[in-house]
Amino acid sequence: MDERFERFVRDTFRNAGRRYAEARRAYREGRDGEDGAERFGLPTDDEGRARLVCRRHAEKRAVAVDSEGRPACFDPDHADCQGCAEDVREGVVETW
């Protein structure tokens, strides 16, 4: 009887682990499935890149935006880039 119980517990934990891994993967795919431009309601070009006005270089750019609101050109050490990412998340970034 001990062996049957051990097998039952082991199988139950394995199944729970598989379901957890599947749920985690589905959540990650669902979260990452929507790109940043869509997520933050930004206008896009034909390739799906966000059309932003770069604060740092004062120019129009079409760039990919990640799920955390950071444009592909984002430099974490530059104040203008940090402000741009904050504006993207808050929905007040300048676009074209």
Side-chain angles (χ1 to χ4, degrees):
M1 177 131 170
D2 283 329
E3 188 175 314
R4 285 180 47 198
F5 180 71
E6 287 176 22
R7 189 173 340 123
F8 169 76
V9 170
R10 185 174 48 246
D11 291 345
T12 301
F13 280 123
R14 278 190 190 142
N15 288 335
R18 285 187 196 114
R19 286 194 311 264
Y20 173 75
E22 289 171 8
R24 214 174 142 189
R25 183 173 47 253
Y27 172 77
R28 188 172 42 247
E29 288 172 0
R31 183 188 65 200
D32 294 339
E34 184 177 309
D35 68 354
E38 289 177 4
R39 182 178 192 177
F40 296 103
L42 301 171
T44 58
D45 66 0
D46 293 337
E47 296 176 22
R49 298 175 301 186
R51 297 184 316 183
L52 304 176
V53 176
C54 176
R55 284 178 163 192
R56 185 175 181 180
H57 299 285
E59 64 185 17
K60 294 178 181 177
R61 290 188 176 187
V63 294
V65 176
D66 69 11
S67 62
E68 294 182 23
R70 296 177 302 218
C73 54
F74 179 75
D75 178 358
D77 296 328
H78 199 279
D80 285 339
C81 292
Q82 292 170 1
C84 178
E86 289 173 13
D87 287 351
V88 167
R89 289 188 291 270
E90 293 173 8
V92 295
V93 69
E94 188 174 352
T95 60
W96 53 279

